[in-house]
Coordinates of all heavy atoms in Angstrom, one line a residue:
A1 N -64.5 -81.2 7.8 CA -63.1 -80.8 7.6 C -62.8 -79.8 8.7 O -63.5 -78.9 8.9 CB -63.0 -80.2 6.2
N2 N -61.6 -80.0 9.2 CA -61.0 -79.0 10.2 C -60.2 -78.0 9.4 O -59.4 -78.4 8.5 CB -60.1 -79.7 11.2 CG -60.9 -80.7 12.0 OD1 -62.0 -80.4 12.5 ND2 -60.4 -81.9 12.1
L3 N -60.3 -76.7 9.7 CA -59.7 -75.7 8.9 C -58.7 -74.8 9.7 O -58.9 -74.5 10.9 CB -60.8 -74.7 8.4 CG -61.9 -75.2 7.6 CD1 -62.8 -74.1 7.2 CD2 -61.4 -76.0 6.4
A4 N -57.6 -74.4 9.0 CA -56.7 -73.4 9.4 C -56.7 -72.4 8.3 O -56.4 -72.8 7.1 CB -55.3 -74.0 9.6
V5 N -56.9 -71.1 8.6 CA -57.1 -70.1 7.5 C -56.1 -69.0 7.6 O -55.9 -68.4 8.7 CB -58.6 -69.5 7.6 CG1 -58.8 -68.5 6.6 CG2 -59.6 -70.7 7.5
T6 N -55.6 -68.5 6.5 CA -54.8 -67.3 6.4 C -55.4 -66.6 5.1 O -56.2 -67.1 4.5 CB -53.3 -67.5 6.2 OG1 -53.1 -68.1 4.9 CG2 -52.7 -68.4 7.3
T7 N -54.9 -65.4 4.9 CA -55.4 -64.7 3.7 C -55.0 -65.4 2.4 O -55.6 -65.2 1.4 CB -54.9 -63.2 3.6 OG1 -53.5 -63.2 3.7 CG2 -55.5 -62.4 4.7
A8 N -53.8 -66.2 2.5 CA -53.3 -66.8 1.3 C -53.7 -68.3 1.1 O -53.5 -68.8 0.0 CB -51.8 -66.7 1.3
Q9 N -54.1 -69.0 2.1 CA -54.5 -70.3 2.0 C -55.4 -70.8 3.1 O -55.6 -70.2 4.1 CB -53.2 -71.2 2.0 CG -52.5 -71.3 3.3 CD -51.2 -72.1 3.1 OE1 -50.4 -71.7 2.2 NE2 -51.0 -73.1 3.9
V10 N -56.1 -72.0 2.7 CA -56.9 -72.7 3.7 C -56.4 -74.1 3.7 O -56.3 -74.8 2.7 CB -58.4 -72.7 3.3 CG1 -59.2 -73.5 4.3 CG2 -58.9 -71.2 3.2
D11 N -56.0 -74.6 4.9 CA -55.5 -75.9 5.1 C -56.5 -76.7 6.0 O -57.2 -76.1 6.8 CB -54.1 -75.9 5.9 CG -53.1 -75.1 5.1 OD1 -53.0 -75.3 3.9 OD2 -52.4 -74.4 5.7
G12 N -56.4 -78.0 5.9 CA -57.3 -78.8 6.8 C -57.0 -80.3 6.7 O -56.1 -80.7 6.1
T13 N -57.9 -81.0 7.5 CA -57.8 -82.4 7.5 C -59.3 -82.9 7.2 O -60.3 -82.3 7.5 CB -57.4 -83.0 8.8 OG1 -58.2 -82.5 9.9 CG2 -55.9 -82.6 9.1
S14 N -59.3 -84.0 6.6 CA -60.6 -84.6 6.2 C -60.4 -86.1 6.1 O -59.4 -86.6 6.4 CB -61.2 -84.0 4.9 OG -60.4 -84.3 3.9
G15 N -61.3 -86.8 5.5 CA -61.2 -88.2 5.2 C -60.1 -88.4 4.1 O -59.9 -87.6 3.2
N16 N -59.4 -89.5 4.3 CA -58.3 -89.9 3.3 C -58.9 -89.9 1.9 O -59.9 -90.6 1.6 CB -57.8 -91.3 3.8 CG -56.9 -91.9 2.8 OD1 -56.7 -91.5 1.7 ND2 -56.3 -93.0 3.3
G17 N -58.3 -89.2 1.0 CA -58.7 -89.2 -0.4 C -59.9 -88.4 -0.7 O -60.3 -88.3 -1.9
A18 N -60.5 -87.7 0.3 CA -61.7 -86.9 0.0 C -61.3 -85.6 -0.8 O -60.2 -85.1 -0.8 CB -62.3 -86.4 1.4
T19 N -62.3 -85.2 -1.6 CA -62.2 -84.0 -2.4 C -62.8 -82.9 -1.5 O -63.8 -83.0 -0.9 CB -62.9 -84.0 -3.7 OG1 -62.4 -85.1 -4.5 CG2 -62.8 -82.7 -4.5
V20 N -62.0 -81.8 -1.3 CA -62.5 -80.7 -0.4 C -62.6 -79.4 -1.2 O -61.7 -79.0 -1.9 CB -61.5 -80.5 0.7 CG1 -62.0 -79.3 1.6 CG2 -61.3 -81.8 1.5
D21 N -63.8 -78.8 -1.2 CA -64.1 -77.6 -1.8 C -64.2 -76.5 -0.8 O -64.8 -76.7 0.2 CB -65.5 -77.6 -2.6 CG -65.5 -78.6 -3.7 OD1 -64.5 -78.6 -4.5 OD2 -66.4 -79.4 -3.8
V22 N -63.5 -75.4 -1.0 CA -63.4 -74.3 -0.1 C -64.2 -73.1 -0.7 O -64.1 -72.8 -1.9 CB -62.0 -73.9 0.2 CG1 -61.9 -72.6 1.1 CG2 -61.2 -75.0 0.8
Y23 N -65.0 -72.4 0.2 CA -65.8 -71.3 -0.2 C -65.5 -70.1 0.8 O -65.1 -70.3 2.0 CB -67.3 -71.6 -0.1 CG -67.7 -72.7 -1.0 CD1 -67.5 -74.1 -0.6 CD2 -68.2 -72.4 -2.2 CE1 -67.9 -75.1 -1.5 CE2 -68.6 -73.4 -3.1 CZ -68.4 -74.7 -2.8 OH -68.8 -75.7 -3.7
T24 N -65.7 -68.9 0.4 CA -65.6 -67.7 1.2 C -66.9 -66.8 1.0 O -67.8 -67.2 0.3 CB -64.3 -66.9 1.0 OG1 -64.1 -66.0 1.9 CG2 -64.3 -66.3 -0.4
N25 N -66.9 -65.7 1.6 CA -68.0 -64.7 1.5 C -67.5 -63.4 1.0 O -66.3 -63.2 0.9 CB -68.7 -64.6 2.8 CG -67.9 -64.0 3.9 OD1 -66.7 -64.2 3.9 ND2 -68.4 -63.3 4.8
T26 N -68.4 -62.6 0.6 CA -68.0 -61.3 0.0 C -68.5 -60.1 0.8 O -68.2 -59.0 0.6 CB -68.5 -61.1 -1.4 OG1 -70.0 -61.2 -1.4 CG2 -67.9 -62.1 -2.4
D27 N -69.4 -60.4 1.8 CA -70.1 -59.3 2.5 C -69.9 -59.3 4.0 O -70.6 -58.6 4.7 CB -71.6 -59.3 2.1 CG -72.2 -60.6 2.4 OD1 -71.6 -61.5 3.0 OD2 -73.4 -60.8 2.0
G28 N -69.0 -60.1 4.5 CA -68.7 -60.0 6.0 C -69.6 -60.9 6.8 O -69.4 -61.1 8.0
D29 N -70.6 -61.6 6.2 CA -71.4 -62.5 7.0 C -70.9 -63.9 6.8 O -70.0 -64.1 6.0 CB -72.9 -62.4 6.7 CG -73.3 -62.9 5.3 OD1 -72.5 -63.6 4.7 OD2 -74.4 -62.6 4.8
S30 N -71.4 -64.9 7.5 CA -70.8 -66.3 7.4 C -71.4 -67.1 6.4 O -71.1 -68.3 6.3 CB -70.8 -66.9 8.8 OG -72.1 -67.0 9.2
D31 N -72.3 -66.6 5.5 CA -72.9 -67.4 4.4 C -71.8 -67.4 3.2 O -71.8 -66.5 2.4 CB -74.1 -66.7 3.9 CG -75.2 -66.8 4.9 OD1 -75.2 -67.7 5.7 OD2 -76.1 -65.9 4.9
C32 N -71.0 -68.4 3.2 CA -69.9 -68.5 2.3 C -70.3 -69.1 1.0 O -70.5 -70.4 0.9 CB -68.8 -69.3 2.9 SG -68.1 -68.5 4.4
L33 N -70.6 -68.3 0.0 CA -71.1 -68.8 -1.3 C -70.2 -68.7 -2.5 O -70.5 -69.1 -3.5 CB -72.4 -68.1 -1.6 CG -73.5 -68.2 -0.5 CD1 -74.7 -67.3 -0.9 CD2 -74.0 -69.6 -0.3
V34 N -69.0 -68.1 -2.2 CA -68.1 -67.9 -3.3 C -67.0 -69.0 -3.3 O -66.2 -69.1 -2.4 CB -67.4 -66.5 -3.2 CG1 -66.4 -66.3 -4.3 CG2 -68.5 -65.4 -3.1
Y35 N -67.0 -69.8 -4.4 CA -66.0 -70.9 -4.5 C -64.6 -70.3 -4.7 O -64.4 -69.4 -5.5 CB -66.4 -71.8 -5.7 CG -65.4 -72.8 -6.1 CD1 -65.3 -74.0 -5.4 CD2 -64.5 -72.6 -7.1 CE1 -64.4 -74.9 -5.7 CE2 -63.6 -73.5 -7.5 CZ -63.5 -74.7 -6.8 OH -62.6 -75.6 -7.1
V36 N -63.6 -70.9 -3.9 CA -62.3 -70.4 -4.1 C -61.2 -71.5 -4.5 O -60.2 -71.1 -4.9 CB -61.8 -69.6 -2.9 CG1 -62.5 -68.3 -2.7 CG2 -61.8 -70.4 -1.6
G37 N -61.6 -72.7 -4.3 CA -60.7 -73.8 -4.7 C -61.0 -75.1 -4.2 O -61.9 -75.3 -3.4
T38 N -60.2 -76.1 -4.7 CA -60.4 -77.5 -4.4 C -59.1 -78.2 -4.2 O -58.1 -77.8 -4.9 CB -61.2 -78.2 -5.6 OG1 -62.5 -77.7 -5.7 CG2 -61.3 -79.7 -5.3
D39 N -59.0 -79.2 -3.3 CA -57.8 -80.0 -3.2 C -58.3 -81.4 -2.8 O -59.5 -81.6 -2.4 CB -56.9 -79.5 -2.2 CG -55.5 -80.2 -2.2 OD1 -55.2 -80.7 -3.3 OD2 -54.8 -80.2 -1.2
T40 N -57.5 -82.4 -3.0 CA -57.8 -83.8 -2.6 C -56.9 -84.1 -1.5 O -55.6 -83.9 -1.5 CB -57.5 -84.8 -3.8 OG1 -58.4 -84.3 -4.9 CG2 -57.8 -86.2 -3.4
A41 N -57.5 -84.7 -0.4 CA -56.7 -85.0 0.8 C -55.8 -86.2 0.5 O -56.1 -87.1 -0.3 CB -57.7 -85.4 1.9
D42 N -54.6 -86.1 1.1 CA -53.6 -87.1 0.9 C -53.9 -88.3 1.8 O -55.0 -88.4 2.4 CB -52.2 -86.6 1.2 CG -52.0 -86.2 2.6 OD1 -52.7 -86.6 3.5 OD2 -51.0 -85.4 2.9
G43 N -53.1 -89.3 1.8 CA -53.3 -90.5 2.6 C -53.5 -90.3 4.1 O -54.1 -91.1 4.7
A44 N -53.0 -89.2 4.6 CA -53.2 -88.9 6.0 C -54.4 -88.0 6.2 O -54.7 -87.6 7.3 CB -51.9 -88.3 6.6
G45 N -55.1 -87.6 5.1 CA -56.2 -86.7 5.2 C -55.9 -85.2 5.2 O -56.8 -84.4 5.3
N46 N -54.7 -84.9 4.9 CA -54.3 -83.4 4.8 C -54.5 -82.9 3.4 O -54.3 -83.5 2.4 CB -52.8 -83.3 5.1 CG -52.4 -83.8 6.5 OD1 -53.0 -83.4 7.5 ND2 -51.5 -84.7 6.6
W47 N -55.0 -81.6 3.4 CA -55.2 -80.9 2.2 C -54.9 -79.4 2.3 O -54.8 -78.9 3.4 CB -56.7 -81.1 1.7 CG -57.7 -80.7 2.7 CD1 -58.3 -81.5 3.6 CD2 -58.2 -79.4 2.8 NE1 -59.1 -80.7 4.4 CE2 -59.1 -79.4 3.9 CE3 -58.0 -78.2 2.2 CZ2 -59.9 -78.3 4.3 CZ3 -58.7 -77.0 2.7 CH2 -59.6 -77.1 3.7
S48 N -54.7 -78.7 1.2 CA -54.4 -77.3 1.2 C -54.8 -76.7 -0.1 O -54.5 -77.1 -1.1 CB -52.9 -77.1 1.4 OG -52.6 -75.8 1.6
V49 N -55.5 -75.6 0.1 CA -55.9 -74.7 -1.1 C -55.1 -73.4 -1.0 O -55.3 -72.7 0.0 CB -57.4 -74.5 -1.2 CG1 -57.7 -73.5 -2.3 CG2 -58.2 -75.8 -1.3
T50 N -54.2 -73.2 -1.9 CA -53.2 -72.1 -1.8 C -53.4 -71.1 -2.9 O -54.3 -71.3 -3.8 CB -51.8 -72.6 -1.8 OG1 -51.6 -73.3 -3.1 CG2 -51.5 -73.6 -0.7
G51 N -52.7 -70.0 -2.8 CA -52.7 -69.0 -3.9 C -54.0 -68.1 -3.8 O -54.4 -67.5 -4.8
L52 N -54.5 -68.0 -2.6 CA -55.8 -67.3 -2.4 C -55.5 -65.8 -2.0 O -54.4 -65.5 -1.7 CB -56.6 -67.9 -1.3 CG -56.9 -69.4 -1.5 CD1 -57.7 -69.9 -0.3 CD2 -57.7 -69.6 -2.7
S53 N -56.5 -65.0 -2.1 CA -56.5 -63.6 -1.6 C -57.7 -63.3 -0.9 O -58.6 -62.6 -1.3 CB -56.3 -62.7 -2.9 OG -56.2 -61.4 -2.4
L54 N -57.8 -64.0 0.3 CA -59.0 -63.8 1.1 C -59.0 -62.5 1.9 O -57.9 -62.0 2.2 CB -59.1 -65.0 2.1 CG -59.2 -66.4 1.5 CD1 -59.2 -67.5 2.6 CD2 -60.4 -66.5 0.6
T55 N -60.1 -62.0 2.2 CA -60.3 -60.7 2.9 C -60.3 -60.9 4.4 O -61.0 -61.7 4.9 CB -61.6 -60.0 2.5 OG1 -61.6 -59.9 1.0 CG2 -61.7 -58.7 3.1
I56 N -59.4 -60.2 5.1 CA -59.4 -60.2 6.6 C -60.8 -59.9 7.1 O -61.4 -58.9 6.7 CB -58.3 -59.3 7.1 CG1 -56.9 -59.7 6.7 CG2 -58.4 -59.1 8.6 CD1 -55.8 -58.7 6.9
G57 N -61.2 -60.7 8.1 CA -62.5 -60.5 8.7 C -63.6 -61.2 8.0 O -64.7 -61.3 8.6
H58 N -63.4 -61.7 6.8 CA -64.4 -62.5 6.2 C -64.3 -64.0 6.6 O -63.5 -64.2 7.6 CB -64.3 -62.4 4.6 CG -64.8 -61.1 4.1 ND1 -65.1 -61.0 2.8 CD2 -65.1 -60.0 4.7 CE1 -65.6 -59.7 2.6 NE2 -65.6 -59.1 3.8
Y59 N -64.9 -64.9 6.1 CA -65.0 -66.3 6.6 C -64.6 -67.3 5.4 O -64.7 -66.9 4.3 CB -66.4 -66.6 7.1 CG -66.8 -65.9 8.3 CD1 -67.4 -64.6 8.2 CD2 -66.6 -66.4 9.5 CE1 -67.8 -63.9 9.3 CE2 -66.9 -65.7 10.7 CZ -67.5 -64.4 10.6 OH -67.9 -63.7 11.6
A60 N -64.2 -68.5 5.9 CA -64.0 -69.6 5.0 C -64.7 -70.8 5.5 O -64.7 -71.0 6.7 CB -62.5 -69.8 4.7
V61 N -65.2 -71.7 4.6 CA -65.7 -73.0 5.0 C -65.3 -74.0 4.0 O -64.8 -73.6 2.9 CB -67.3 -72.9 5.0 CG1 -67.8 -71.9 6.0 CG2 -67.9 -72.7 3.6
A62 N -65.5 -75.3 4.3 CA -65.1 -76.3 3.4 C -66.2 -77.4 3.5 O -66.9 -77.6 4.4 CB -63.8 -77.0 3.8
I63 N -66.3 -78.1 2.3 CA -67.2 -79.3 2.2 C -66.4 -80.4 1.6 O -65.7 -80.2 0.6 CB -68.4 -78.9 1.3 CG1 -69.2 -77.8 1.8 CG2 -69.3 -80.2 1.1 CD1 -70.3 -77.3 0.8
Q64 N -66.4 -81.5 2.3 CA -65.7 -82.7 1.7 C -66.6 -83.7 1.1 O -67.7 -83.8 1.5 CB -64.8 -83.3 2.8 CG -65.6 -84.0 3.9 CD -64.8 -84.7 4.9 OE1 -63.6 -85.0 4.7 NE2 -65.4 -85.1 6.0
T65 N -66.1 -84.3 0.0 CA -66.9 -85.3 -0.7 C -66.0 -86.5 -0.8 O -64.9 -86.5 -1.2 CB -67.2 -84.8 -2.1 OG1 -68.0 -83.6 -2.0 CG2 -68.1 -85.9 -2.8
D66 N -66.5 -87.7 -0.3 CA -65.8 -88.9 -0.3 C -65.8 -89.6 -1.6 O -66.5 -89.1 -2.5 CB -66.2 -89.8 0.9 CG -67.6 -90.3 0.8 OD1 -68.1 -90.4 -0.3 OD2 -68.1 -90.8 1.8
G67 N -65.1 -90.7 -1.7 CA -65.0 -91.5 -2.9 C -66.4 -92.0 -3.4 O -66.5 -92.4 -4.6
T68 N -67.4 -92.1 -2.6 CA -68.7 -92.6 -3.0 C -69.6 -91.5 -3.5 O -70.7 -91.7 -3.8 CB -69.4 -93.4 -1.9 OG1 -69.7 -92.5 -0.8 CG2 -68.5 -94.6 -1.4
G69 N -69.1 -90.2 -3.4 CA -69.9 -89.1 -3.8 C -70.7 -88.5 -2.7 O -71.5 -87.5 -2.9
S70 N -70.5 -89.0 -1.4 CA -71.3 -88.4 -0.3 C -70.6 -87.2 0.2 O -69.4 -87.2 0.4 CB -71.4 -89.4 0.9 OG -72.1 -90.6 0.4
S71 N -71.3 -86.1 0.4 CA -70.7 -84.8 0.8 C -71.1 -84.6 2.3 O -72.1 -85.0 2.8 CB -71.3 -83.6 0.0 OG -70.9 -83.7 -1.3
S72 N -70.1 -84.0 3.0 CA -70.3 -83.7 4.4 C -71.2 -82.4 4.6 O -71.4 -81.7 3.6 CB -68.9 -83.4 5.0 OG -68.4 -82.1 4.5
E73 N -71.5 -82.2 5.8 CA -72.1 -80.9 6.1 C -71.0 -79.8 5.9 O -69.9 -80.1 5.9 CB -72.6 -80.8 7.5 CG -73.7 -81.8 7.9 CD -75.0 -81.4 7.2 OE1 -75.3 -80.2 7.1 OE2 -75.8 -82.4 6.8
V74 N -71.4 -78.6 5.7 CA -70.5 -77.5 5.6 C -69.8 -77.3 7.0 O -70.4 -77.4 8.0 CB -71.2 -76.1 5.3 CG1 -70.3 -75.0 5.2 CG2 -72.0 -76.3 3.9
S75 N -68.5 -77.2 6.9 CA -67.7 -77.0 8.1 C -68.1 -75.7 8.8 O -68.8 -74.8 8.3 CB -66.2 -76.9 7.8 OG -65.9 -75.7 7.2
A76 N -67.7 -75.6 10.1 CA -67.9 -74.3 10.8 C -67.2 -73.2 10.1 O -66.1 -73.4 9.5 CB -67.4 -74.5 12.2
A77 N -67.7 -72.0 10.0 CA -67.1 -70.9 9.4 C -66.0 -70.4 10.3 O -66.1 -70.3 11.4 CB -68.1 -69.8 9.1
V78 N -64.8 -70.2 9.6 CA -63.6 -69.7 10.3 C -63.3 -68.3 9.7 O -63.2 -68.1 8.5 CB -62.4 -70.7 10.1 CG1 -61.2 -70.1 10.7 CG2 -62.7 -72.1 10.6
V79 N -63.1 -67.4 10.7 CA -62.8 -66.0 10.2 C -61.3 -65.9 9.7 O -60.5 -66.6 10.2 CB -63.0 -65.0 11.4 CG1 -62.0 -65.2 12.5 CG2 -63.1 -63.6 10.9
V80 N -61.2 -65.1 8.7 CA -59.8 -64.9 8.1 C -59.1 -63.9 9.0 O -59.6 -62.7 9.1 CB -59.9 -64.4 6.7 CG1 -58.5 -64.1 6.1 CG2 -60.7 -65.3 5.8
P81 N -58.0 -64.3 9.7 CA -57.3 -63.4 10.6 C -56.4 -62.4 9.9 O -56.0 -62.6 8.7 CB -56.5 -64.4 11.4 CG -56.1 -65.5 10.5 CD -57.4 -65.6 9.6
P82 N -56.0 -61.3 10.6 CA -55.1 -60.4 10.1 C -53.7 -61.0 9.9 O -53.4 -61.9 10.5 CB -55.1 -59.2 11.1 CG -55.8 -59.7 12.3 CD -56.5 -61.0 11.9

């Protein structure tokens, strides 16, 4: 999943219809273990998890799961910008 991150939301693209889970961290390292939300990608693969309160300087990652239940590798960690 490709990510665009703000303090309030994480947007991205993935496979059409994939379920995308978003995680963040609590301690400033890139090990993102705190679940923050899920969305399902639309027909074009676009998804968005909104209503968040992410900490500037922390990170967000996403994992996508396709219709057969196969999960992707964790995305690259993206820092939450000011």
Side-chain angles (χ1 to χ4, degrees):
N2 298 313
L3 305 181
V5 179
T6 69
T7 56
Q9 70 186 53
V10 178
D11 302 314
T13 57
S14 66
N16 172 346
T19 299
V20 180
D21 296 316
V22 176
Y23 298 84
T24 190
N25 60 333
T26 58
D27 55 8
D29 67 20
S30 60
D31 294 333
C32 298
L33 304 175
V34 179
Y35 170 81
V36 294
T38 298
D39 194 23
T40 301
D42 64 19
N46 299 308
W47 56 268
S48 183
V49 176
T50 61
L52 304 176
S53 183
L54 301 177
T55 302
I56 294 169
H58 284 196
Y59 294 85
V61 298
I63 301 172
Q64 67 177 344
T65 303
D66 66 20
T68 66
S70 296
S71 294
S72 69
E73 296 291 323
V74 176
S75 70
V78 177
V79 69
V80 179

